[in-house]
């Protein structure tokens, strides 16, 4: 799939995102209350994305709770940045930081771009505060440049696929 097709699919998924009550309720069986609270605090598109990443990991045979929790919460630090700053951020990733600088002219977008740029570290800090394991925190922190030999690349690929 081309980069543009992938990003178009992600855009559609973002604006159509939803989480069914049963999906959310099922999380209570394998998350501790503070982790569930972190999930609930995420933007609905990031909650949907996290659930989809977990489904992909499971389809790949992953059963390790640390990896599954990382997949679920890896975007917790993005916050409610809105879809258009996310588009601008993706364009910057693809074409260079000049796109971020240009987008930052729009009021409020500079802070949103910065949240997106630093979301892996922020998400890891939030996961740590929510009682996640050191391995889960490391998987989240290193999501763009995986270091965990067993699950890092699987998480990155599941993230890209969703």
């Amino acid at each position: 799939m081309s980069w543009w097709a992938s990003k178009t699919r992600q855009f559609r998924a973002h604006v159509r995102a939803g989480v069914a009550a049963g999906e959310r309720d099922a999380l209570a069986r394998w998350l501790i209350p503070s982790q569930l609270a972190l999930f609930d605090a995420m933007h609905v598109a990031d909650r949907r994305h996290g659930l989809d990443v977990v489904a992909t990991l499971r389809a790949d045979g992953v059963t390790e709770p640390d990896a599954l929790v990382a997949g679920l919460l890896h975007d917790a630090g993005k916050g409610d940045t809105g879809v258009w700053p996310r588009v601008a951020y993706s364009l910057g990733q693809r074409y260079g930081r000049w796109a971020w600088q240009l987008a930052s002219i729009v009021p409020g977008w500079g802070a949103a771009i910065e949240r997106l740029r630093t979301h892996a570290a922020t998400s890891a800090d939030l996961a740590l505060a929510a009682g996640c394991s050191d391995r889960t925190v490391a998987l989240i922190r290193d999501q763009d440049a995986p270091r965990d030999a067993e699950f890092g690349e699987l998480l990155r690929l599941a993230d890209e696929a969703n």
Side-chain angles (χ1 to χ4, degrees):
M1 177 180 302
S2 76
W3 183 86
W4 281 102
S6 173
K7 293 302 176 183
T8 300
R9 181 190 51 77
Q10 287 177 351
F11 178 88
R12 284 188 191 128
H14 182 92
V15 298
R16 295 178 180 167
V19 175
E23 291 177 299
R24 191 262 180 215
D25 293 344
L27 297 175
R29 291 193 289 265
W30 58 280
L31 296 178
I32 62 174
S34 55
Q35 293 166 345
L36 189 56
L38 179 57
F39 176 81
D40 288 338
M42 292 166 57
H43 186 277
V44 66
D46 295 324
R47 284 183 275 149
R48 173 79 266 147
H49 173 67
L51 289 166
D52 293 342
V53 168
V54 168
T56 298
L57 289 170
R58 285 185 169 151
D60 288 341
V62 175
T63 59
E64 171 60 43
D66 290 340
L68 297 175
V69 173
L72 187 68
L73 302 177
H74 73 280
D75 283 342
K78 285 186 174 180
D80 188 10
T81 56
V83 70
W84 295 114
R86 290 175 188 234
V87 169
Y89 180 75
S90 291
L91 290 170
Q93 286 181 302
R94 173 79 173 180
Y95 296 108
R97 292 180 178 263
W98 66 267
W100 298 343
Q101 292 166 341
L102 183 62
S104 293
I105 295 170
V106 178
W109 284 27
I113 296 289
E114 184 62 15
R115 270 195 311 280
L116 294 168
R117 194 184 67 72
T118 61
H119 87 275
T122 303
S123 299
D125 292 344
L126 290 168
L128 181 63
C132 292
S133 71
D134 290 341
R135 188 174 195 187
T136 295
V137 171
L139 283 164
I140 292 171
R141 189 173 311 280
D142 301 331
Q143 62 185 274
D144 294 327
R147 294 183 197 182
D148 184 293
E150 189 174 9
F151 298 114
E153 186 64 8
L154 285 172
L155 176 60
R156 189 188 70 73
L157 291 172
D159 184 22
E160 283 186 7
N162 291 283

